[in-house]
Amino acid sequence: MKLKPGQRLRSQVDSTEVIIVRAPATDESLTCGGHPMVGMDEEVTPGLSAQGGGPGAQLGKRYTSPKAPDLEVLVTKPGSATL
């Protein structure tokens, strides 16, 4: 998926919502609970459950990835699954 600054995404397995702050030039996959995040207007795949553990996404926190250091997201709605 081509990510771009200002794009809003939501989790398919919990209430997590994020906005893209910085996006890499390459196509990247952003996951939450082990499943790809989707656009705010896209349908969620039924029957999915979160994989892995962790503290979940925290409201107002910015996250980056060691695999894609140019990617930065801001959590606008917290959830129990991990980004």
Side-chain angles (χ1 to χ4, degrees):
M1 170 189 297
K2 182 67 175 163
L3 302 173
K4 55 188 173 203
Q7 183 178 17
R8 295 181 60 210
L9 301 172
R10 65 183 175 136
S11 171
Q12 296 193 74
V13 295
D14 73 351
S15 60
T16 303
E17 293 180 7
V18 300
I19 189 166
I20 306 297
V21 176
R22 284 186 305 144
T26 59
D27 287 351
E28 294 294 334
S29 176
L30 182 59
T31 62
C32 184
H35 300 283
M37 296 188 83
V38 296
M40 299 301 285
D41 58 348
E42 293 180 47
E43 291 293 320
V44 182
T45 305
L48 295 178
S49 60
Q51 300 172 354
Q58 298 176 12
L59 178 64
K61 185 165 182 182
R62 291 176 184 244
Y63 291 88
T64 58
S65 169
K67 294 180 183 177
D70 293 340
L71 174 61
E72 181 178 349
V73 300
L74 173 66
V75 177
T76 57
K77 188 172 180 184
S80 58
T82 302
L83 292 173

